[in-house]
Short mmCIF file of all heavy atoms in Angstrom, two decimals:
data_model
loop_
_atom_site.label_atom_id
_atom_site.label_comp_id
_atom_site.label_asym_id
_atom_site.label_seq_id
_atom_site.Cartn_x
_atom_site.Cartn_y
_atom_site.Cartn_z
N GLY A 409 68.75 120.32 189.24
CA GLY A 409 68.84 120.20 190.69
C GLY A 409 67.93 121.17 191.40
O GLY A 409 67.08 121.83 190.78
N SER A 410 68.11 121.26 192.71
CA SER A 410 67.17 122.04 193.50
C SER A 410 67.78 123.30 194.10
O SER A 410 67.07 124.22 194.46
CB SER A 410 66.61 121.18 194.63
OG SER A 410 67.66 120.70 195.43
N LYS A 411 69.12 123.36 194.20
CA LYS A 411 69.73 124.51 194.87
C LYS A 411 69.88 125.66 193.88
O LYS A 411 70.97 125.97 193.42
CB LYS A 411 71.10 124.11 195.42
CG LYS A 411 71.02 123.09 196.54
CD LYS A 411 72.42 122.85 197.07
CE LYS A 411 72.63 121.41 197.47
NZ LYS A 411 74.03 121.01 197.37
N LYS A 415 73.27 127.92 192.09
CA LYS A 415 73.69 127.59 190.73
C LYS A 415 73.52 128.72 189.74
O LYS A 415 74.09 128.69 188.66
CB LYS A 415 72.92 126.36 190.25
CG LYS A 415 73.23 125.19 191.14
CD LYS A 415 72.71 123.89 190.68
CE LYS A 415 73.05 122.83 191.73
NZ LYS A 415 72.72 121.49 191.33
N GLY A 433 65.50 120.60 185.92
CA GLY A 433 65.41 120.55 187.39
C GLY A 433 64.57 121.69 187.95
O GLY A 433 63.79 122.33 187.24
N GLY A 434 64.75 121.94 189.24
CA GLY A 434 63.95 122.96 189.91
C GLY A 434 64.21 124.36 189.37
O GLY A 434 63.34 125.24 189.42
N PHE A 437 61.92 126.52 186.53
CA PHE A 437 60.69 127.28 186.75
C PHE A 437 60.95 128.77 186.94
O PHE A 437 60.12 129.60 186.57
CB PHE A 437 59.89 126.67 187.91
CG PHE A 437 59.59 125.22 187.63
CD1 PHE A 437 60.34 124.21 188.21
CD2 PHE A 437 58.61 124.87 186.70
CE1 PHE A 437 60.12 122.88 187.89
CE2 PHE A 437 58.37 123.54 186.37
CZ PHE A 437 59.12 122.55 186.97
N GLY A 512 55.85 120.99 189.14
CA GLY A 512 56.69 120.43 188.07
C GLY A 512 57.84 119.66 188.68
O GLY A 512 58.61 120.21 189.44
N LEU A 513 57.93 118.36 188.37
CA LEU A 513 58.90 117.50 189.05
C LEU A 513 59.91 116.84 188.12
O LEU A 513 60.78 116.10 188.57
CB LEU A 513 58.15 116.45 189.88
CG LEU A 513 57.31 117.07 191.00
CD1 LEU A 513 56.30 116.06 191.55
CD2 LEU A 513 58.19 117.59 192.13
N ASN A 536 75.51 119.40 185.82
CA ASN A 536 75.31 119.48 187.27
C ASN A 536 73.83 119.62 187.59
O ASN A 536 73.17 120.56 187.13
CB ASN A 536 76.07 120.67 187.87
CG ASN A 536 75.77 120.84 189.34
OD1 ASN A 536 74.72 121.34 189.69
ND2 ASN A 536 76.65 120.39 190.20
N GLY A 537 73.32 118.69 188.37
CA GLY A 537 71.95 118.77 188.86
C GLY A 537 70.99 117.90 188.08
O GLY A 537 70.86 118.05 186.86
N PRO A 538 70.30 116.99 188.77
CA PRO A 538 69.31 116.12 188.11
C PRO A 538 68.21 116.94 187.44
O PRO A 538 67.89 118.04 187.86
CB PRO A 538 68.73 115.29 189.25
CG PRO A 538 69.68 115.44 190.40
CD PRO A 538 70.41 116.72 190.21
N GLY A 540 65.10 116.14 187.31
CA GLY A 540 63.85 116.03 188.05
C GLY A 540 64.07 115.29 189.35
O GLY A 540 65.22 115.03 189.74
N VAL A 541 62.98 114.98 190.02
CA VAL A 541 63.05 114.26 191.29
C VAL A 541 63.27 112.77 190.96
O VAL A 541 62.37 111.95 191.04
CB VAL A 541 61.78 114.50 192.14
CG1 VAL A 541 61.88 113.76 193.48
CG2 VAL A 541 61.60 115.99 192.41
N GLU A 543 64.67 110.49 192.39
CA GLU A 543 64.56 109.53 193.49
C GLU A 543 63.24 108.76 193.40
O GLU A 543 63.09 107.69 193.98
CB GLU A 543 64.64 110.23 194.85
CG GLU A 543 66.00 110.90 195.13
CD GLU A 543 66.05 112.36 194.69
OE1 GLU A 543 65.25 112.78 193.82
OE2 GLU A 543 66.93 113.09 195.21
N GLY A 568 78.97 116.62 187.64
CA GLY A 568 79.34 117.16 188.94
C GLY A 568 78.13 117.19 189.86
O GLY A 568 77.00 117.32 189.39
N GLY A 569 78.36 117.09 191.15
CA GLY A 569 77.24 117.18 192.10
C GLY A 569 76.95 115.85 192.74
O GLY A 569 76.86 114.83 192.05
N GLY A 570 76.81 115.87 194.05
CA GLY A 570 76.57 114.64 194.80
C GLY A 570 75.35 113.89 194.30
O GLY A 570 75.40 112.69 194.04
N ASP A 571 74.25 114.61 194.13
CA ASP A 571 73.01 113.96 193.71
C ASP A 571 73.07 113.54 192.25
O ASP A 571 72.53 112.50 191.87
CB ASP A 571 71.81 114.87 193.94
CG ASP A 571 71.54 115.07 195.42
OD1 ASP A 571 71.14 114.11 196.08
OD2 ASP A 571 71.79 116.18 195.91
N SER A 572 73.71 114.34 191.43
CA SER A 572 73.83 113.99 190.01
C SER A 572 74.64 112.72 189.84
O SER A 572 74.27 111.82 189.08
CB SER A 572 74.51 115.12 189.23
OG SER A 572 73.91 116.36 189.53
P1 LIG B 3 73.61 118.11 193.01
O1 LIG B 3 73.78 117.44 194.35
O2 LIG B 3 73.85 117.16 191.89
O3 LIG B 3 74.40 119.37 192.91
P2 LIG B 3 71.19 119.40 193.89
O4 LIG B 3 71.55 119.07 195.28
O5 LIG B 3 71.16 120.81 193.47
O6 LIG B 3 72.09 118.54 192.86
O7 LIG B 3 69.72 118.88 193.56
C1 LIG B 3 69.37 117.51 193.66
C2 LIG B 3 67.93 117.40 194.03
O8 LIG B 3 67.13 118.18 193.17
C3 LIG B 3 67.41 115.99 193.93
O9 LIG B 3 67.19 115.50 195.23
C4 LIG B 3 66.10 116.14 193.14
O10 LIG B 3 65.04 115.43 193.71
C5 LIG B 3 65.84 117.63 193.20
N1 LIG B 3 65.03 118.16 192.10
C6 LIG B 3 65.25 118.04 190.79
N2 LIG B 3 64.27 118.61 190.07
C7 LIG B 3 63.39 119.11 190.96
C8 LIG B 3 62.15 119.81 190.85
N3 LIG B 3 61.62 120.07 189.66
N4 LIG B 3 61.53 120.15 191.99
C9 LIG B 3 62.05 119.86 193.18
N5 LIG B 3 63.22 119.21 193.36
C10 LIG B 3 63.88 118.83 192.26
#
Side-chain angles (χ1 to χ4, degrees):
S410 58
K411 293 184 216 153
K415 299 189 182 186
F437 303 101
L513 296 165
N536 175 283
V541 181
E543 295 91 339
D571 291 291
S572 311

